[in-house]
Amino acid sequence: MTVAAPPVTEAGTPPTVPVETHRRTAFGYLIRPLLCLGALAVLFAVINARPLDTIEQRALSSANLLAAVGEHLALTLVSTVLVIMVALPLGILFSRRLFRPIRPFLIGLFNLGQALPTIGILVLLAVAFSLVGFGAAIIGLVIYAIIPVMLNTVVGLQQVDPAVLESGRGMGMSSGQVLFGIELPLSVPIILAGIRTALVINVGTATLAAYIDAGGLGRVIVAGMATNRQLIQITGAVLTAVLALLIDYLAGVVEDAVRPSGL
């Protein structure tokens, strides 16, 4: 069962990412990793059962696939860390009373970045600024994934009961103490849901980084398309899907672990 966090009612702000409110059972924690392992076992059984030509052997070698997974993880994790570093302060800033009148306009500007297709951003960076490779891919991923974390931070801070905040101020707490001692801890589930969404977005869109020579599992898929080898394409796609599911699973475990008791 999931419930959506309270939506922001101001114009120009889309709904927040849903937050899971239940604790999973032991079986609930095991089922997704087992399904992912089963999918990988079937994939590699198919690869080993059929004769491979030299192109397939090179593309589907353990060394090449592990390198691609490592590159993909680096793209995903670095971009997500940067998203958090940028989006959390922006979300806190936009949630303050000073920015309330212009918040819809500011968030609308950031929505433009997510409305643009990621491949368009990457091509623009490559053509207009001669940016290719890992750094250019990170910029594109950050632009695309910043919105969920920022919006969930704004919504999470706004849903804190004003009476709780007034109680803190009445106890002599400063604005900073109220923010870090009350608002942010009570906003953890909603903020983490945004970070989890950003992670999954980055896993999927990181496949496009192959088009600007940034590596990742996208280069396996592109290699399969370029050589008309469906097995290579399927392998890259399955590994990307499994990686997204496992990262989402691990983010969910962390979310359960750090969620304040009672939330």
mmCIF file with all atom_site columns, all heavy atoms in Angstrom, residues 132-150:
data_model
loop_
_atom_site.group_PDB
_atom_site.id
_atom_site.type_symbol
_atom_site.label_atom_id
_atom_site.label_alt_id
_atom_site.label_comp_id
_atom_site.label_asym_id
_atom_site.label_entity_id
_atom_site.label_seq_id
_atom_site.pdbx_PDB_ins_code
_atom_site.Cartn_x
_atom_site.Cartn_y
_atom_site.Cartn_z
_atom_site.occupancy
_atom_site.B_iso_or_equiv
_atom_site.pdbx_formal_charge
_atom_site.auth_seq_id
_atom_site.auth_comp_id
_atom_site.auth_asym_id
_atom_site.auth_atom_id
_atom_site.pdbx_PDB_model_num
ATOM 1   N N   . VAL A 1 132 ? 31.996 16.146 -24.432 1.00 0.00 ? 132 VAL A N   1
ATOM 2   C CA  . VAL A 1 132 ? 31.674 14.731 -24.614 1.00 0.00 ? 132 VAL A CA  1
ATOM 3   C C   . VAL A 1 132 ? 32.303 13.951 -23.456 1.00 0.00 ? 132 VAL A C   1
ATOM 4   O O   . VAL A 1 132 ? 33.087 14.477 -22.679 1.00 0.00 ? 132 VAL A O   1
ATOM 5   C CB  . VAL A 1 132 ? 32.199 14.191 -25.960 1.00 0.00 ? 132 VAL A CB  1
ATOM 6   C CG1 . VAL A 1 132 ? 31.488 14.856 -27.119 1.00 0.00 ? 132 VAL A CG1 1
ATOM 7   C CG2 . VAL A 1 132 ? 33.705 14.396 -26.074 1.00 0.00 ? 132 VAL A CG2 1
ATOM 8   N N   . GLY A 1 133 ? 31.920 12.682 -23.371 1.00 0.00 ? 133 GLY A N   1
ATOM 9   C CA  . GLY A 1 133 ? 32.515 11.839 -22.349 1.00 0.00 ? 133 GLY A CA  1
ATOM 10  C C   . GLY A 1 133 ? 31.780 11.897 -21.019 1.00 0.00 ? 133 GLY A C   1
ATOM 11  O O   . GLY A 1 133 ? 30.634 12.349 -20.927 1.00 0.00 ? 133 GLY A O   1
ATOM 12  N N   . PHE A 1 134 ? 32.465 11.443 -19.985 1.00 0.00 ? 134 PHE A N   1
ATOM 13  C CA  . PHE A 1 134 ? 31.860 11.261 -18.662 1.00 0.00 ? 134 PHE A CA  1
ATOM 14  C C   . PHE A 1 134 ? 31.281 12.559 -18.116 1.00 0.00 ? 134 PHE A C   1
ATOM 15  O O   . PHE A 1 134 ? 30.145 12.600 -17.625 1.00 0.00 ? 134 PHE A O   1
ATOM 16  C CB  . PHE A 1 134 ? 32.927 10.710 -17.708 1.00 0.00 ? 134 PHE A CB  1
ATOM 17  C CG  . PHE A 1 134 ? 32.391 10.318 -16.360 1.00 0.00 ? 134 PHE A CG  1
ATOM 18  C CD1 . PHE A 1 134 ? 31.834 9.070  -16.149 1.00 0.00 ? 134 PHE A CD1 1
ATOM 19  C CD2 . PHE A 1 134 ? 32.480 11.196 -15.290 1.00 0.00 ? 134 PHE A CD2 1
ATOM 20  C CE1 . PHE A 1 134 ? 31.357 8.701  -14.906 1.00 0.00 ? 134 PHE A CE1 1
ATOM 21  C CE2 . PHE A 1 134 ? 32.011 10.835 -14.040 1.00 0.00 ? 134 PHE A CE2 1
ATOM 22  C CZ  . PHE A 1 134 ? 31.446 9.592  -13.844 1.00 0.00 ? 134 PHE A CZ  1
ATOM 23  N N   . GLY A 1 135 ? 32.046 13.648 -18.174 1.00 0.00 ? 135 GLY A N   1
ATOM 24  C CA  . GLY A 1 135 ? 31.594 14.912 -17.600 1.00 0.00 ? 135 GLY A CA  1
ATOM 25  C C   . GLY A 1 135 ? 30.332 15.440 -18.247 1.00 0.00 ? 135 GLY A C   1
ATOM 26  O O   . GLY A 1 135 ? 29.414 15.912 -17.562 1.00 0.00 ? 135 GLY A O   1
ATOM 27  N N   . ALA A 1 136 ? 30.262 15.370 -19.571 1.00 0.00 ? 136 ALA A N   1
ATOM 28  C CA  . ALA A 1 136 ? 29.070 15.844 -20.275 1.00 0.00 ? 136 ALA A CA  1
ATOM 29  C C   . ALA A 1 136 ? 27.852 14.998 -19.903 1.00 0.00 ? 136 ALA A C   1
ATOM 30  O O   . ALA A 1 136 ? 26.748 15.524 -19.724 1.00 0.00 ? 136 ALA A O   1
ATOM 31  C CB  . ALA A 1 136 ? 29.301 15.794 -21.780 1.00 0.00 ? 136 ALA A CB  1
ATOM 32  N N   . ALA A 1 137 ? 28.044 13.683 -19.789 1.00 0.00 ? 137 ALA A N   1
ATOM 33  C CA  . ALA A 1 137 ? 26.938 12.807 -19.415 1.00 0.00 ? 137 ALA A CA  1
ATOM 34  C C   . ALA A 1 137 ? 26.437 13.133 -18.015 1.00 0.00 ? 137 ALA A C   1
ATOM 35  O O   . ALA A 1 137 ? 25.227 13.141 -17.760 1.00 0.00 ? 137 ALA A O   1
ATOM 36  C CB  . ALA A 1 137 ? 27.381 11.341 -19.485 1.00 0.00 ? 137 ALA A CB  1
ATOM 37  N N   . ILE A 1 138 ? 27.348 13.438 -17.092 1.00 0.00 ? 138 ILE A N   1
ATOM 38  C CA  . ILE A 1 138 ? 26.958 13.772 -15.724 1.00 0.00 ? 138 ILE A CA  1
ATOM 39  C C   . ILE A 1 138 ? 26.105 15.041 -15.721 1.00 0.00 ? 138 ILE A C   1
ATOM 40  O O   . ILE A 1 138 ? 25.080 15.117 -15.022 1.00 0.00 ? 138 ILE A O   1
ATOM 41  C CB  . ILE A 1 138 ? 28.206 13.967 -14.839 1.00 0.00 ? 138 ILE A CB  1
ATOM 42  C CG1 . ILE A 1 138 ? 28.934 12.635 -14.637 1.00 0.00 ? 138 ILE A CG1 1
ATOM 43  C CG2 . ILE A 1 138 ? 27.822 14.559 -13.489 1.00 0.00 ? 138 ILE A CG2 1
ATOM 44  C CD1 . ILE A 1 138 ? 28.133 11.574 -13.923 1.00 0.00 ? 138 ILE A CD1 1
ATOM 45  N N   . ILE A 1 139 ? 26.498 16.044 -16.498 1.00 0.00 ? 139 ILE A N   1
ATOM 46  C CA  . ILE A 1 139 ? 25.723 17.287 -16.563 1.00 0.00 ? 139 ILE A CA  1
ATOM 47  C C   . ILE A 1 139 ? 24.299 17.006 -17.046 1.00 0.00 ? 139 ILE A C   1
ATOM 48  O O   . ILE A 1 139 ? 23.313 17.487 -16.474 1.00 0.00 ? 139 ILE A O   1
ATOM 49  C CB  . ILE A 1 139 ? 26.418 18.311 -17.483 1.00 0.00 ? 139 ILE A CB  1
ATOM 50  C CG1 . ILE A 1 139 ? 27.749 18.757 -16.867 1.00 0.00 ? 139 ILE A CG1 1
ATOM 51  C CG2 . ILE A 1 139 ? 25.519 19.530 -17.717 1.00 0.00 ? 139 ILE A CG2 1
ATOM 52  C CD1 . ILE A 1 139 ? 28.587 19.628 -17.793 1.00 0.00 ? 139 ILE A CD1 1
ATOM 53  N N   . GLY A 1 140 ? 24.187 16.219 -18.117 1.00 0.00 ? 140 GLY A N   1
ATOM 54  C CA  . GLY A 1 140 ? 22.868 15.892 -18.649 1.00 0.00 ? 140 GLY A CA  1
ATOM 55  C C   . GLY A 1 140 ? 22.012 15.129 -17.643 1.00 0.00 ? 140 GLY A C   1
ATOM 56  O O   . GLY A 1 140 ? 20.816 15.416 -17.486 1.00 0.00 ? 140 GLY A O   1
ATOM 57  N N   . LEU A 1 141 ? 22.608 14.167 -16.955 1.00 0.00 ? 141 LEU A N   1
ATOM 58  C CA  . LEU A 1 141 ? 21.862 13.381 -15.971 1.00 0.00 ? 141 LEU A CA  1
ATOM 59  C C   . LEU A 1 141 ? 21.413 14.234 -14.798 1.00 0.00 ? 141 LEU A C   1
ATOM 60  O O   . LEU A 1 141 ? 20.299 14.077 -14.282 1.00 0.00 ? 141 LEU A O   1
ATOM 61  C CB  . LEU A 1 141 ? 22.725 12.213 -15.482 1.00 0.00 ? 141 LEU A CB  1
ATOM 62  C CG  . LEU A 1 141 ? 23.016 11.120 -16.516 1.00 0.00 ? 141 LEU A CG  1
ATOM 63  C CD1 . LEU A 1 141 ? 24.032 10.127 -15.965 1.00 0.00 ? 141 LEU A CD1 1
ATOM 64  C CD2 . LEU A 1 141 ? 21.738 10.396 -16.924 1.00 0.00 ? 141 LEU A CD2 1
ATOM 65  N N   . VAL A 1 142 ? 22.266 15.142 -14.352 1.00 0.00 ? 142 VAL A N   1
ATOM 66  C CA  . VAL A 1 142 ? 21.907 16.013 -13.229 1.00 0.00 ? 142 VAL A CA  1
ATOM 67  C C   . VAL A 1 142 ? 20.735 16.916 -13.606 1.00 0.00 ? 142 VAL A C   1
ATOM 68  O O   . VAL A 1 142 ? 19.772 17.073 -12.844 1.00 0.00 ? 142 VAL A O   1
ATOM 69  C CB  . VAL A 1 142 ? 23.120 16.851 -12.778 1.00 0.00 ? 142 VAL A CB  1
ATOM 70  C CG1 . VAL A 1 142 ? 22.691 17.947 -11.800 1.00 0.00 ? 142 VAL A CG1 1
ATOM 71  C CG2 . VAL A 1 142 ? 24.165 15.963 -12.113 1.00 0.00 ? 142 VAL A CG2 1
ATOM 72  N N   . ILE A 1 143 ? 20.799 17.501 -14.795 1.00 0.00 ? 143 ILE A N   1
ATOM 73  C CA  . ILE A 1 143 ? 19.711 18.372 -15.250 1.00 0.00 ? 143 ILE A CA  1
ATOM 74  C C   . ILE A 1 143 ? 18.395 17.608 -15.300 1.00 0.00 ? 143 ILE A C   1
ATOM 75  O O   . ILE A 1 143 ? 17.337 18.120 -14.897 1.00 0.00 ? 143 ILE A O   1
ATOM 76  C CB  . ILE A 1 143 ? 20.038 18.964 -16.640 1.00 0.00 ? 143 ILE A CB  1
ATOM 77  C CG1 . ILE A 1 143 ? 21.198 19.949 -16.529 1.00 0.00 ? 143 ILE A CG1 1
ATOM 78  C CG2 . ILE A 1 143 ? 18.817 19.659 -17.242 1.00 0.00 ? 143 ILE A CG2 1
ATOM 79  C CD1 . ILE A 1 143 ? 21.706 20.451 -17.864 1.00 0.00 ? 143 ILE A CD1 1
ATOM 80  N N   . TYR A 1 144 ? 18.455 16.372 -15.747 1.00 0.00 ? 144 TYR A N   1
ATOM 81  C CA  . TYR A 1 144 ? 17.227 15.593 -15.930 1.00 0.00 ? 144 TYR A CA  1
ATOM 82  C C   . TYR A 1 144 ? 16.646 15.074 -14.614 1.00 0.00 ? 144 TYR A C   1
ATOM 83  O O   . TYR A 1 144 ? 15.431 14.940 -14.484 1.00 0.00 ? 144 TYR A O   1
ATOM 84  C CB  . TYR A 1 144 ? 17.499 14.423 -16.873 1.00 0.00 ? 144 TYR A CB  1
ATOM 85  C CG  . TYR A 1 144 ? 16.244 13.831 -17.464 1.00 0.00 ? 144 TYR A CG  1
ATOM 86  C CD1 . TYR A 1 144 ? 15.526 14.528 -18.440 1.00 0.00 ? 144 TYR A CD1 1
ATOM 87  C CD2 . TYR A 1 144 ? 15.772 12.601 -17.065 1.00 0.00 ? 144 TYR A CD2 1
ATOM 88  C CE1 . TYR A 1 144 ? 14.366 14.005 -18.983 1.00 0.00 ? 144 TYR A CE1 1
ATOM 89  C CE2 . TYR A 1 144 ? 14.613 12.066 -17.611 1.00 0.00 ? 144 TYR A CE2 1
ATOM 90  C CZ  . TYR A 1 144 ? 13.921 12.770 -18.569 1.00 0.00 ? 144 TYR A CZ  1
ATOM 91  O OH  . TYR A 1 144 ? 12.771 12.252 -19.103 1.00 0.00 ? 144 TYR A OH  1
ATOM 92  N N   . ALA A 1 145 ? 17.488 14.780 -13.625 1.00 0.00 ? 145 ALA A N   1
ATOM 93  C CA  . ALA A 1 145 ? 17.015 14.112 -12.405 1.00 0.00 ? 145 ALA A CA  1
ATOM 94  C C   . ALA A 1 145 ? 16.857 15.046 -11.217 1.00 0.00 ? 145 ALA A C   1
ATOM 95  O O   . ALA A 1 145 ? 16.464 14.596 -10.133 1.00 0.00 ? 145 ALA A O   1
ATOM 96  C CB  . ALA A 1 145 ? 17.973 12.975 -12.033 1.00 0.00 ? 145 ALA A CB  1
ATOM 97  N N   . ILE A 1 146 ? 17.130 16.323 -11.389 1.00 0.00 ? 146 ILE A N   1
ATOM 98  C CA  . ILE A 1 146 ? 17.120 17.228 -10.244 1.00 0.00 ? 146 ILE A CA  1
ATOM 99  C C   . ILE A 1 146 ? 15.709 17.506 -9.726  1.00 0.00 ? 146 ILE A C   1
ATOM 100 O O   . ILE A 1 146 ? 15.504 17.734 -8.527  1.00 0.00 ? 146 ILE A O   1
ATOM 101 C CB  . ILE A 1 146 ? 17.838 18.547 -10.608 1.00 0.00 ? 146 ILE A CB  1
ATOM 102 C CG1 . ILE A 1 146 ? 18.210 19.322 -9.347  1.00 0.00 ? 146 ILE A CG1 1
ATOM 103 C CG2 . ILE A 1 146 ? 16.984 19.402 -11.528 1.00 0.00 ? 146 ILE A CG2 1
ATOM 104 C CD1 . ILE A 1 146 ? 19.075 20.526 -9.635  1.00 0.00 ? 146 ILE A CD1 1
ATOM 105 N N   . ILE A 1 147 ? 14.715 17.471 -10.618 1.00 0.00 ? 147 ILE A N   1
ATOM 106 C CA  . ILE A 1 147 ? 13.363 17.883 -10.252 1.00 0.00 ? 147 ILE A CA  1
ATOM 107 C C   . ILE A 1 147 ? 12.739 17.011 -9.150  1.00 0.00 ? 147 ILE A C   1
ATOM 108 O O   . ILE A 1 147 ? 12.186 17.547 -8.183  1.00 0.00 ? 147 ILE A O   1
ATOM 109 C CB  . ILE A 1 147 ? 12.456 17.920 -11.498 1.00 0.00 ? 147 ILE A CB  1
ATOM 110 C CG1 . ILE A 1 147 ? 12.883 19.052 -12.430 1.00 0.00 ? 147 ILE A CG1 1
ATOM 111 C CG2 . ILE A 1 147 ? 10.990 18.102 -11.112 1.00 0.00 ? 147 ILE A CG2 1
ATOM 112 C CD1 . ILE A 1 147 ? 12.721 20.431 -11.838 1.00 0.00 ? 147 ILE A CD1 1
ATOM 113 N N   . PRO A 1 148 ? 12.769 15.659 -9.233  1.00 0.00 ? 148 PRO A N   1
ATOM 114 C CA  . PRO A 1 148 ? 12.118 14.874 -8.176  1.00 0.00 ? 148 PRO A CA  1
ATOM 115 C C   . PRO A 1 148 ? 12.662 15.156 -6.781  1.00 0.00 ? 148 PRO A C   1
ATOM 116 O O   . PRO A 1 148 ? 11.892 15.248 -5.818  1.00 0.00 ? 148 PRO A O   1
ATOM 117 C CB  . PRO A 1 148 ? 12.402 13.415 -8.592  1.00 0.00 ? 148 PRO A CB  1
ATOM 118 C CG  . PRO A 1 148 ? 12.662 13.484 -10.049 1.00 0.00 ? 148 PRO A CG  1
ATOM 119 C CD  . PRO A 1 148 ? 13.318 14.794 -10.294 1.00 0.00 ? 148 PRO A CD  1
ATOM 120 N N   . VAL A 1 149 ? 13.971 15.292 -6.658  1.00 0.00 ? 149 VAL A N   1
ATOM 121 C CA  . VAL A 1 149 ? 14.559 15.531 -5.334  1.00 0.00 ? 149 VAL A CA  1
ATOM 122 C C   . VAL A 1 149 ? 14.189 16.928 -4.830  1.00 0.00 ? 149 VAL A C   1
ATOM 123 O O   . VAL A 1 149 ? 13.818 17.103 -3.660  1.00 0.00 ? 149 VAL A O   1
ATOM 124 C CB  . VAL A 1 149 ? 16.087 15.366 -5.376  1.00 0.00 ? 149 VAL A CB  1
ATOM 125 C CG1 . VAL A 1 149 ? 16.690 15.606 -3.993  1.00 0.00 ? 149 VAL A CG1 1
ATOM 126 C CG2 . VAL A 1 149 ? 16.464 13.975 -5.874  1.00 0.00 ? 149 VAL A CG2 1
ATOM 127 N N   . MET A 1 150 ? 14.262 17.913 -5.709  1.00 0.00 ? 150 MET A N   1
ATOM 128 C CA  . MET A 1 150 ? 13.955 19.283 -5.298  1.00 0.00 ? 150 MET A CA  1
ATOM 129 C C   . MET A 1 150 ? 12.486 19.418 -4.897  1.00 0.00 ? 150 MET A C   1
ATOM 130 O O   . MET A 1 150 ? 12.160 19.994 -3.851  1.00 0.00 ? 150 MET A O   1
ATOM 131 C CB  . MET A 1 150 ? 14.282 20.256 -6.419  1.00 0.00 ? 150 MET A CB  1
ATOM 132 C CG  . MET A 1 150 ? 14.098 21.715 -6.022  1.00 0.00 ? 150 MET A CG  1
ATOM 133 S SD  . MET A 1 150 ? 14.388 22.842 -7.405  1.00 0.00 ? 150 MET A SD  1
ATOM 134 C CE  . MET A 1 150 ? 12.978 22.444 -8.445  1.00 0.00 ? 150 MET A CE  1
#
